[in-house]
Amino acid sequence: MKFFADTAEIDEIRELAATGLLDGVTTNPSLIHKSGRNFLEVVAEIARLVPGPVSAEVVALDYDQMMREAEVLRKIGDNIAIKVPLTPDGLKTCKALTSDGAMVNVTLCFSAAQALLAAKAGATFISPFVGRHDDVGFDGMALIADIRMIYDNYDFATEILVASVRHPIHVVEAAKLGADVMTAPPKIIHQLFKHPLTDSGIASFLKDWQATGQSIV
Ligand code: G3P
């Protein structure tokens, strides 16, 4: 399972990249706004820092303008994945871009039917938003299971990128269902490392080790 960081904060990305466990980054207009940075500049900086796919989202709603925006974003680097919304124009843009060799992340997916359309449009990634789905009383993980089944039935190459991850259990459940990628805020990726028994185990081993009076180096 690939791990993407859902953030536009350079320091957070640098810290995660240093763990060797970061496979890519996703951004969206809200995260760009939160960063306070210029969109094109911050995406270019992220794309230099992380070799894996870096999602950058178009903001136009019509095909022609989405294509123009995508052209600008693609020039940033070969690792840019153009993020388009799950609309008819978004999927038309997806088809055109992937046919031209670009990576495309189709975002704001909330149903298996939408995920099926995105795969037919040749999407590189489909981003079902599990947290927002849960928020309105649906089962985000059931959506992932449905998409996994459909994609496997037809051998679609589109990768399931679980987005809107809110806690470590979302990550574990997504992995159990065979999702290809998850994107989460850095705070949640850091939480994955944590277990109180790991902390207490280290403390007791160190205490006993010190009592031996030995050193390794
Ligand atoms: O990048 C898209 C997605 O991960 C957004 O998450 O927490 O705003 O629902 P959230």
Side-chain angles (χ1 to χ4, degrees):
M1 186 189 217
K2 290 176 217 165
F3 279 17
F4 291 179
D6 201 25
T7 182
E9 305 297 330
I10 294 291
D11 289 345
E12 293 179 346
I13 294 167
R14 194 175 284 118
E15 192 184 358
L16 280 171
T19 67
L21 300 175
L22 188 65
D23 302 297
V25 172
T26 50
T27 67
N28 63 40
S30 303
L31 293 170
I32 298 298
H33 176 62
K34 197 171 154 207
S35 76
R37 296 279 311 273
N38 173 279
F39 178 35
L40 299 181
E41 281 176 17
V42 76
V43 167
E45 206 174 327
I46 296 168
R48 282 195 297 272
L49 205 59
V50 179
V54 175
S55 290
E57 190 159 341
V58 298
V59 289
L61 295 177
D62 67 285
Y63 170 77
D64 289 332
Q65 189 62 10
M66 278 191 212
M67 288 299 287
R68 279 192 279 273
E69 291 179 357
E71 199 182 317
V72 174
L73 297 173
R74 286 179 74 178
K75 285 194 184 122
I76 294 173
D78 289 341
N79 59 340
I80 297 296
I82 308 298
K83 216 169 170 185
V84 300
L86 211 154
T87 61
D89 279 54
L91 293 189
K92 189 175 164 190
T93 305
C94 171
K95 183 92 187 160
L97 290 172
T98 53
S99 302
D100 192 39
M103 285 189 287
V104 176
N105 176 357
V106 177
T107 190
L108 291 163
C109 171
F110 292 94
S111 79
Q114 290 179 319
L116 176 58
L117 290 172
K120 284 179 67 63
T124 316
F125 302 104
I126 180 68
S127 288
F129 279 28
V130 292
R132 292 191 197 188
H133 211 243
D134 292 350
D135 288 346
V136 293
F138 290 89
D139 182 350
M141 281 303 145
L143 174 60
I144 302 304
D146 284 349
I147 300 172
R148 181 74 282 159
M149 184 194 294
I150 291 167
Y151 282 11
D152 288 350
N153 281 348
Y154 296 97
D155 280 336
F156 282 124
T158 301
E159 295 189 39
I160 302 173
L161 195 173
V162 177
S164 189
V165 164
R166 299 278 165 77
H167 46 71
I169 301 298
H170 270 153
V171 180
V172 173
E173 290 298 324
K176 283 160 75 176
L177 291 169
D180 303 283
V181 192
M182 74 87 197
T183 189
K187 185 180 156 216
I188 291 170
I189 298 178
H190 288 296
Q191 283 173 358
L192 295 172
F193 287 91
K194 303 298 285 178
H195 195 287
L197 292 180
T198 304
D199 294 340
S200 61
I202 288 172
S204 85
F205 282 156
L206 282 185
K207 187 167 165 271
D208 290 341
W209 175 249
Q210 273 158 11
T212 70
Q214 301 176 49
S215 69
I216 297 174
V217 287

